[in-house]
């Protein structure tokens, strides 16, 4: 992967934390900063598709955890059964 150089201003306290983390993890400070940039980029990305593209049938009220699990499992089973018949 090619990299592009850039300059940023950072708070000295943040840089001290990065320095400590890099030493503790045995990686360069630049690697910690690259990871932070990647996380910030992904957190602010606008996705082309919605996170959930499917809806599951339900009673229209908040279900207990066990019913959510069962509803999702039933939907997956139906989808799997339909896919295997093709």
């Amino acid at each position: 992967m090619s990299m592009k150089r850039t300059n940023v201003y950072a708070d000295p306290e943040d840089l001290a934390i990065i320095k400590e983390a890099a030493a503790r993890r045995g990686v360069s400070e630049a690697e910690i900063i690259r990871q932070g940039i990647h996380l910030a980029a992904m957190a602010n990305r606008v996705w082309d598709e919605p996170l959930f593209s499917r809806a599951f049938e339900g009673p229209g009220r908040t279900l207990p955890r066990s019913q959510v699990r069962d509803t999702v499992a039933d939907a997956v089973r139906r989808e799997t059964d339909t896919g295997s018949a093709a």
Side-chain angles (χ1 to χ4, degrees):
M1 170 174 67
S2 70
M3 303 264 183
K4 183 175 178 180
R5 182 184 173 109
T6 189
N7 295 319
V8 297
Y9 291 95
D11 185 277
E13 293 175 5
D14 291 337
L15 293 175
I17 293 168
I18 289 170
K19 185 182 227 43
E20 292 171 6
R24 185 176 58 252
R25 291 178 52 196
V27 298
S28 68
E29 293 172 41
E31 181 59 26
I32 302 282
I33 292 168
R34 280 191 291 271
Q35 290 173 1
I37 289 171
H38 180 69
L39 290 173
M42 295 305 289
N44 289 285
R45 181 176 177 185
V46 177
W47 298 90
D48 293 336
E49 299 176 11
L51 181 59
F52 297 103
S53 60
R54 298 182 287 171
F56 297 102
E57 293 180 22
R61 60 180 168 73
T62 302
L63 300 173
R65 183 180 303 211
S66 61
Q67 283 185 288
V68 171
R69 185 187 61 239
D70 292 345
T71 301
V72 171
D74 290 343
V76 169
R77 266 193 295 278
R78 281 194 306 273
E79 200 169 280
T80 303
D81 291 344
T82 303
S84 63

